[in-house]
Amino acid sequence: MGPLLNRRGVLGACAAPLLSALPGVGRAQAGERALRAVEAHRQFPGLPVPTPMWCFDEATPGPLLRYRKGDRVAVRVRNDLKQPTTVHWHGVRVPIAMDGVPGISQPAIKPGESFLYQFDARDSGTFWYHPHQKSFEQVGRGMYGAFIVEEARPIEANADVCWVLSDLLVDRATGAQAPFGRIHEHATRGRIGNIVTVNGRPAGREVTLDVRSGQRVRLRLVNAATARAFLLSFEGHDPHVIAFDGQGVTPHRAGKEGVLLGPGMRVDLVLDCADAPGKSFAVSDAGSRAVIAAVRYRDEAPLAANLFKAPLQLAPNDLVPPDMKNAQRHEVAIRGGDAGPPVIGLVDGKEIPLHEMMRTHGLAWTVNTHATHEEAHEHVPLFTFKRGTTHIITMQNGTAFIHPMHLHGHFFRVLAYNGQAPRHDEWRDTVFLNSWDEVTVAVVADEPGDWMFHCHVLEHAAAGMMGVIRVE
């Protein structure tokens, strides 16, 4: 499973029946799909008035977009918000012009305007979509949705379910979301909500995965929170892990470590439901120390467990293996935050101490000494790679906080967590660094363009932990 999110890491990250489908579930039809960014309101239990939200198609999560490998995707996004927005297809290998980063890959979509995203669904897997314009706020207000690309031959299962996990920070006296952009959140662990959600519903035992004894369920997990990490355990069950970030992994049991989901990360599980009709089991999160859902067995006669021995290995996507013999080596040093050693960062070419960066620029983090605003349109590349070459990147987290590091446009193979090779061959697009961790990955630079490389604690990205890797 990669690194453990231990108690130190968990505390650093965070202090109604559930339908088996999200809005829009089902394979997308050929042709153009419309998606609208809008303001909406949602009534949460115990709050005096509905909470203002921003979302896609008036729902949080937005519609589940589902395709098959090889399909042509065409989604026209209309912006009916009062500020610009974009859509980034997280984990989906798209041409650079479709990557959704304003000023780098496309102009932001202005209020009242629209943009047509078109690309081929090259890879099967579990992905998601969200804005990359002022993302710490737009995602935090509810703008995200799941994006699934089915394999040509999916594994055999009785049900295919997607859970999008997130949270939001609400003033319980007024029902409004707490202000965004506070430097304390940007310089520490990020914005941790006081309402955890599963598919938009408040987490708890009332959120249920209804199963029948004898069923095999494929459960796709997406962490759409801006800062909260989840460490999940399934009472009475030990699910198989079959994919990280959409890429198949040797099927293995989650075990006592649990299922780790940093912000932006995805994990596909398989639950073989073999218990008795009428029983219920908690799905718990170590971070919030709370039950977030329940696996509930319907009071029906068991099915014959015919699928329990069916193969679980996913067919691999067409990823170019790294050329380790000729690989070039690089280091990424992550520093800053309102804890830990003193830091001097480069802002617009000038050396500035951390406290001044925070006070005058709202920046609190550096990547190889550079601190860059999320919406900066001029980026000096961290690295420039020749197309087709292999690069080994060692990321050093010299801070007291977690950083799930995400690279656009590429997958990378994880070589080592703190010097130890992972137990299984892992391909990811987002890798979890606990405080003071070191992670080494190998990436083949096979997609031309300027690709964002940033922390997916979105407050951290907005406060400097953002850079570009150029492939030419």
Side-chain angles (χ1 to χ4, degrees):
M1 284 293 295
L4 283 175
L5 182 61
N6 56 29
R7 182 167 297 275
R8 170 177 57 86
V10 170
L11 297 180
C14 50
L18 180 64
L19 301 179
S20 62
L22 292 169
V25 73
R27 184 167 175 244
Q29 300 300 310
E32 190 174 300
R33 171 77 163 84
L35 200 62
R36 194 163 64 100
V38 297
E39 295 184 20
H41 290 78
R42 170 72 192 278
Q43 182 66 61
F44 289 97
L47 299 186
V49 296
T51 296
M53 308 279 288
W54 297 353
C55 51
F56 292 104
D57 287 6
E58 300 186 359
T60 296
L64 187 154
L65 303 180
R66 196 175 194 115
Y67 296 85
R68 286 186 186 148
K69 189 172 182 177
D71 281 354
R72 182 67 173 173
V73 178
V75 181
R76 185 175 296 277
V77 177
R78 176 177 171 82
N79 181 13
D80 285 335
L81 299 173
K82 295 178 182 178
Q83 65 175 240
T85 193
T86 65
V87 172
H88 167 59
W89 309 93
H90 185 117
V92 184
R93 291 193 292 173
V94 298
I96 188 63
M98 298 291 112
D99 195 46
V101 179
I104 300 295
S105 55
Q106 72 165 101
I109 309 170
K110 296 178 181 178
E113 296 185 356
S114 63
F115 185 88
L116 178 60
Y117 292 91
Q118 296 184 89
F119 52 88
D120 294 326
R122 298 166 55 188
D123 303 307
S124 57
T126 303
F127 310 109
W128 64 299
Y129 60 93
H130 64 81
H132 226 285
Q133 168 84 18
K134 209 172 183 182
S135 54
F136 70 92
E137 178 176 5
Q138 293 192 3
V139 177
R141 289 188 182 275
M143 294 181 68
Y144 52 81
F147 184 96
I148 291 174
V149 180
E150 298 173 359
E151 300 86 7
R153 293 185 177 180
I155 63 167
E156 293 185 83
N158 302 100
D160 187 328
V161 179
C162 183
W163 281 2
V164 182
L165 311 179
S166 191
D167 64 3
L168 64 162
L169 186 60
V170 175
D171 184 330
R172 293 188 179 277
T174 66
Q177 295 203 51
F180 288 83
R182 297 181 291 191
I183 189 62
H184 174 72
E185 292 174 348
H186 286 217
T188 55
R189 59 182 183 168
R191 182 184 177 90
I192 304 297
N194 55 3
I195 298 177
V196 176
T197 60
V198 182
N199 287 359
R201 302 180 181 212
R205 284 188 175 272
E206 297 77 16
V207 175
T208 61
L209 175 63
D210 290 329
V211 302
R212 187 173 177 181
S213 184
Q215 276 191 329
R216 167 167 281 184
V217 177
R218 180 174 182 170
L219 180 59
R220 304 172 186 260
L221 301 173
V222 179
N223 185 355
T226 67
R228 180 185 293 275
F230 292 89
L231 184 58
L232 303 181
S233 59
F234 291 76
E235 181 187 18
H237 300 75
D238 190 5
H240 287 92
V241 178
I242 63 168
F244 294 129
D245 291 351
Q247 305 306 309
V249 67
T250 301
H252 58 278
R253 296 287 187 178
K256 294 181 180 179
E257 294 180 7
V259 179
L260 171 63
L261 276 170
M265 297 169 67
R266 292 89 63 215
V267 176
D268 285 31
L269 305 176
V270 168
L271 275 76
D272 287 335
C273 304
D275 224 290
K279 297 191 75 171
S280 180
F281 298 90
V283 180
S284 301
D285 169 42
S288 59
R289 300 193 182 109
V291 173
I292 67 164
V295 177
R296 185 174 65 185
Y297 283 74
R298 294 192 292 270
D299 196 9
E300 300 175 8
L303 295 172
N306 295 327
L307 299 185
F308 284 6
K309 294 185 179 180
L312 293 175
Q313 182 70 57
L314 294 172
N317 288 309
D318 185 19
L319 302 178
V320 178
D323 177 8
M324 301 301 291
K325 182 178 179 180
N326 297 302
Q328 302 171 42
R329 292 185 174 271
H330 313 269
E331 291 191 353
V332 170
I334 300 166
R335 301 290 185 267
D338 195 14
V343 169
I344 293 178
L346 281 172
V347 183
D348 299 328
K350 299 178 181 179
E351 293 187 348
I352 303 177
L354 177 65
H355 68 275
E356 185 177 339
M357 284 171 46
M358 293 171 60
R359 180 174 57 83
T360 61
H361 296 276
L363 296 169
W365 309 93
T366 66
V367 181
N368 287 0
T369 74
H370 290 270
T372 306
H373 278 289
E374 176 188 21
E375 297 174 28
H377 291 177
E378 295 291 334
H379 287 269
V380 177
L382 290 169
F383 309 112
T384 298
F385 297 157
K386 183 178 179 180
R387 187 178 184 183
T389 55
T390 295
H391 301 267
I392 297 173
I393 304 173
T394 296
M395 294 172 257
Q396 301 169 335
N397 180 7
T399 83
F401 302 94
I402 67 165
H403 302 301
M405 299 302 294
H406 173 51
L407 175 61
H408 289 209
H410 296 76
F411 294 100
F412 45 74
R413 177 178 285 171
V414 180
L415 302 179
Y417 293 102
N418 296 318
Q420 299 295 315
R423 287 178 295 169
H424 307 280
D425 191 15
E426 299 181 13
W427 285 89
R428 296 181 181 262
D429 58 62
T430 309
V431 66
F432 188 91
L433 278 76
N434 214 333
S435 51
W436 317 111
D437 270 358
E438 179 179 282
V439 176
T440 301
V441 304
V443 61
V444 179
D446 55 359
E447 303 292 335
D450 281 4
W451 301 103
M452 302 309 299
F453 174 64
H454 64 93
C455 179
H456 225 279
V457 173
L458 295 177
E459 291 77 19
H460 294 176
M465 205 179 301
M466 169 78 71
V468 162
I469 293 179
R470 177 169 293 167
V471 179
E472 57 184 23

